[in-house]
């Protein structure tokens, strides 16, 4: 029986449209160019940041991030950045009496922005706040701590095979892969992913059926 559900953030709860558009505008290239390059690195199984390095080989991503913040063009999240099923899904799980946690690879600033949205979750944390990022096993050790449930009673929901599904399973958690976002769509039918994921879903509202089993 599942007692806690933990959700990834990017392309699980939030759409990355604004994120990549803001990088395109900062670097002075068409937004479609950045989107296409993100797609290219996804198909190679590479980190998303490689798309920025294709545009600017010498870029220091961390330094550029801080420069954007200083210029007032940093990270921002609004209700429109959430997928439509987020509030109904998370709220429904809490009505079932489950603990709901949001924990993904995001900056401390995104953690603040997510909490400002007042989502129906018991806890919102990010890798920036923890000082460790997926797929590091230490991240999932922290997930188990905050889940307040046994690993086999904790479900991790995410779109990224290498960052979400495989390390969650290695940590003893249950895992649901959502077919959403570039990673979710491209790798959805990969045989290794199909074998690893306990469940494969197309909407967050399907999680309630899993936890009701």
């Amino acid at each position: 029986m599942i007692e806690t559900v933990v959700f990834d953030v990017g392309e699980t709860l939030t759409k990355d449209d604004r994120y990549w558009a803001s990088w395109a505008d900062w670097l002075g290239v068409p937004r479609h160019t950045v989107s296409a390059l993100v797609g290219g690195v996804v198909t190679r199984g590479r980190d998303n940041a490689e798309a920025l390095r294709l545009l600017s080989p010498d870029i220091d991503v961390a330094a550029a991030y801080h420069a954007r913040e200083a210029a007032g063009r940093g990270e921002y999240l609004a209700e429109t950045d959430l997928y439509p099923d987020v509030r109904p899904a998370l709220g429904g799980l809490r009505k079932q009496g489950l603990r709901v946690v949001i924990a993904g690879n995001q900056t401390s600033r995104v953690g603040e922005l997510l909490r400002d949205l007042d989502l129906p979750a018991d806890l919102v944390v990010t890798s920036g706040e923890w000082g460790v990022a997926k797929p590091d096993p230490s991240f999932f050790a922290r997930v188990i701590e905050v889940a307040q449930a046994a690993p086999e009673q904790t479900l991790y929901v995410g779109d990224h095979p290498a960052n979400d599904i495989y390390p969650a399973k290695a940590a003893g958690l249950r895992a649901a892969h959502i077919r959403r976002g570039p990673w979710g769509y491209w790798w959805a039918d990969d045989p290794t992913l199909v074998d690893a994921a306990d469940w494969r879903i197309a909407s967050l509202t399907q999680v309630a059926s899993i936890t009701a089993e």
Side-chain angles (χ1 to χ4, degrees):
M1 180 179 294
I2 301 298
E3 295 186 359
T4 299
V5 182
V6 185
F7 291 91
D8 169 48
V9 179
E11 290 301 347
T12 296
L13 302 183
T14 62
K15 294 170 280 188
D16 282 349
D17 306 45
R18 183 198 300 276
Y19 178 81
W20 290 113
S22 66
W23 272 111
D25 296 344
W26 180 259
L27 294 173
V29 298
R31 293 180 175 185
H32 173 69
T33 300
V34 174
S35 295
L37 290 175
V38 170
V41 300
V42 165
T43 61
R44 297 182 183 183
R46 295 164 63 186
D47 185 83
N48 288 345
E50 291 302 314
L52 302 178
R53 296 187 179 95
L54 288 171
L55 289 165
S56 180
D58 298 325
I59 190 172
D60 182 328
V61 177
Y65 170 86
H66 291 301
R68 288 179 52 198
E69 290 285 341
R73 296 170 63 181
E75 294 182 282
Y76 175 76
L77 281 178
E79 189 70 23
T80 53
D81 294 308
L82 298 174
Y83 279 100
D85 57 3
V86 171
R87 288 192 183 276
L90 273 59
L93 294 172
R94 294 189 81 187
K95 287 180 180 178
Q96 286 185 2
L98 301 176
R99 179 170 172 79
V100 175
V101 175
I102 297 170
N105 273 1
Q106 301 289 340
T107 63
S108 299
R109 175 58 178 156
V110 168
E112 296 172 359
L113 294 169
L114 284 169
R115 287 187 285 272
D116 287 344
L117 291 176
D118 194 26
L119 294 168
D122 297 285
L123 178 67
V124 177
V125 291
T126 66
S127 59
E129 294 165 329
W130 275 349
V132 62
K134 298 180 291 184
D136 193 306
S138 297
F139 180 95
F140 288 92
R142 295 296 301 272
V143 166
I144 293 169
E145 289 177 10
V146 300
Q148 299 179 10
E152 65 273 14
Q153 295 175 319
T154 301
L155 172 63
Y156 195 88
V157 182
D159 66 297
H160 197 303
N163 282 354
D164 299 328
I165 306 306
Y166 303 150
K169 291 297 294 179
L173 305 174
R174 310 299 294 280
H177 178 259
I178 186 164
R179 189 186 183 101
R180 172 176 286 178
W183 283 93
Y185 280 112
W186 182 260
W187 296 100
D189 297 319
D190 179 76
T192 304
L193 173 66
V194 172
D195 288 342
D198 295 290
W199 296 277
R200 297 159 68 213
I201 60 176
S203 168
L204 295 179
T205 56
Q206 292 175 258
V207 177
S209 298
I210 294 171
T211 56
E213 293 177 359

